[in-house]
Amino acid sequence: MKKKIFDKNLFQDAFRQLMPGVLISGVVLCLQAILIPIGTAVSGPAGAYRTVADLWQVNPLSVLMFCCFTPLMALYLFRFLSRRNACDFYHSIPQTRSCLYISFTAALLVWSLILQWGSTFLGMGMHKLFPAYFELDVPAILTWSLKISSGILFVLGAVLLAVTLTGNWLTNLVVSLLIIFFTRVLML
């Protein structure tokens, strides 16, 4: 039997398991992308001022992607490691543990990037609907979105490393924070 490094069925299962967290975070990110330009257009007279919109005006809650949403989704998806019945089930399936890890990580990464870039493009589209109020700084928006995406990748890597090293959610959180901030302390 040939061992696979990625399994599409595990990926789809992880995609389905993450749906509740994705719906909540997606609603939050989409609401802020829709309501901020509408609120600005309603509150001010047309043509009185025109602001240059960068990422922090188009998608101000995008920082929550790598600070809150991605780590919580990772801890939620890998919670089976601290539950006996679920752990026994996942370790009894014919796929290898590395296949399980890579498939679940890919689902996490895809959902996080869909949420990040989807809310950014939705916010850009909403700001384009009000040209009397906003002028988009597209290169700055895309640059900051790439930086947020790299932050998502970094935090996801730290949380997944913590999940592989420790046993429960509290120690996962503490170890992932140590991994993230210890490198900054060493640089000082």
Side-chain angles (χ1 to χ4, degrees):
M1 180 174 158
K2 184 177 179 184
K3 300 289 182 182
K4 295 188 288 186
I5 196 164
F6 179 81
D7 187 41
K8 183 183 73 148
N9 293 329
L10 285 175
F11 176 81
Q12 290 172 342
D13 183 51
F15 223 65
R16 184 191 53 77
Q17 285 183 33
L18 287 172
M19 193 62 71
V22 167
L23 286 176
I24 291 169
S25 56
V27 165
V28 168
L29 290 171
C30 288
L31 277 178
Q32 62 94 27
I34 292 170
L35 293 178
I36 287 175
I38 291 174
T40 304
V42 168
S43 66
Y49 60 92
R50 191 170 181 204
T51 59
V52 177
D54 60 352
L55 182 73
W56 305 117
Q57 190 163 8
V58 171
N59 193 4
L61 295 182
S62 63
V63 176
L64 290 178
M65 275 308 300
F66 68 88
C67 291
C68 297
F69 296 147
T70 301
L72 288 176
M73 287 191 304
L75 291 174
Y76 178 76
L77 186 61
F78 284 95
R79 72 189 183 282
F80 71 88
L81 290 172
S82 60
R83 294 183 179 164
R84 177 64 188 240
N85 293 337
C87 188
D88 290 343
F89 169 74
Y90 277 110
H91 290 307
S92 68
I93 59 177
Q95 288 81 8
T96 62
R97 291 179 183 165
S98 60
C99 177
L100 178 74
Y101 181 79
I102 290 171
S103 301
F104 276 24
T105 303
L108 271 166
L109 190 60
V110 167
W111 266 131
S112 296
L113 294 177
I114 286 173
L115 285 172
Q116 164 62 30
W117 287 95
S119 63
T120 299
F121 287 135
L122 179 64
M124 287 172 64
M126 288 301 296
H127 280 79
K128 276 289 200 195
L129 291 177
F130 302 105
Y133 297 98
F134 303 106
E135 181 180 337
L136 287 177
D137 186 7
V138 177
I141 292 171
L142 295 179
T143 302
W144 275 105
S145 290
L146 282 172
K147 290 177 183 179
I148 299 253
S149 297
S150 65
I152 287 171
L153 192 60
F154 174 67
V155 169
L156 182 61
V159 170
L160 291 178
L161 182 62
V163 164
T164 60
L165 294 175
T166 61
N168 59 23
W169 68 270
L170 182 62
T171 55
N172 288 340
L173 185 65
V174 170
V175 169
S176 62
L177 288 174
L178 281 173
I179 292 169
I180 291 170
F181 293 117
F182 188 66
T183 56
R184 300 304 292 165
V185 170
L186 287 179
M187 284 193 223
L188 295 176

